[in-house]
Amino acid sequence: MPTRSIRRILKVVQLDCVEDLEVHCTWNLATLGRFVLHLGRMGNLPWLLLWCIHVLPHTAPKQEEHCITQLTAQFPNLPHL
């Protein structure tokens, strides 16, 4: 599904009512990062499962860590595994 379609869906959904979310895709961290603001508005989300997220081969470990930190910072109440 194109990311444009996903953004359209996210615009009509009441994000603070989302209680369950699984992301199963072959996105890279940069693509997933485009949705961080939407994910951050999901205040009632008790957990988040990210599956098959790819890191580009030329991504430096510090850059990967920075992206993951930005993502998880949106969910301070979620347990981090």
Side-chain angles (χ1 to χ4, degrees):
M1 177 180 279
T3 57
R4 186 178 315 140
S5 298
I6 295 169
R7 277 198 210 115
R8 285 186 194 137
I9 293 167
L10 290 171
K11 285 182 181 180
V12 298
V13 171
Q14 290 183 339
L15 298 176
D16 59 336
C17 293
V18 175
E19 294 181 1
D20 187 17
L21 179 65
E22 293 184 25
V23 179
H24 296 268
C25 61
T26 55
W27 290 350
N28 60 44
L29 280 174
T31 303
L32 184 60
R34 295 179 192 166
F35 295 96
V36 167
L37 292 177
H38 296 289
L39 295 172
R41 292 187 202 139
M42 297 179 186
N44 290 316
L45 192 64
W47 62 277
L48 172 65
L49 174 63
L50 301 174
W51 190 264
C52 293
I53 305 303
H54 293 274
V55 177
L56 298 174
H58 62 276
T59 304
K62 290 241 182 223
Q63 185 180 10
E64 178 183 347
E65 183 179 330
H66 176 71
C67 290
I68 293 170
T69 300
Q70 281 186 313
L71 251 175
T72 57
Q74 297 296 317
F75 306 98
N77 297 325
L78 289 181
H80 298 279
L81 302 176

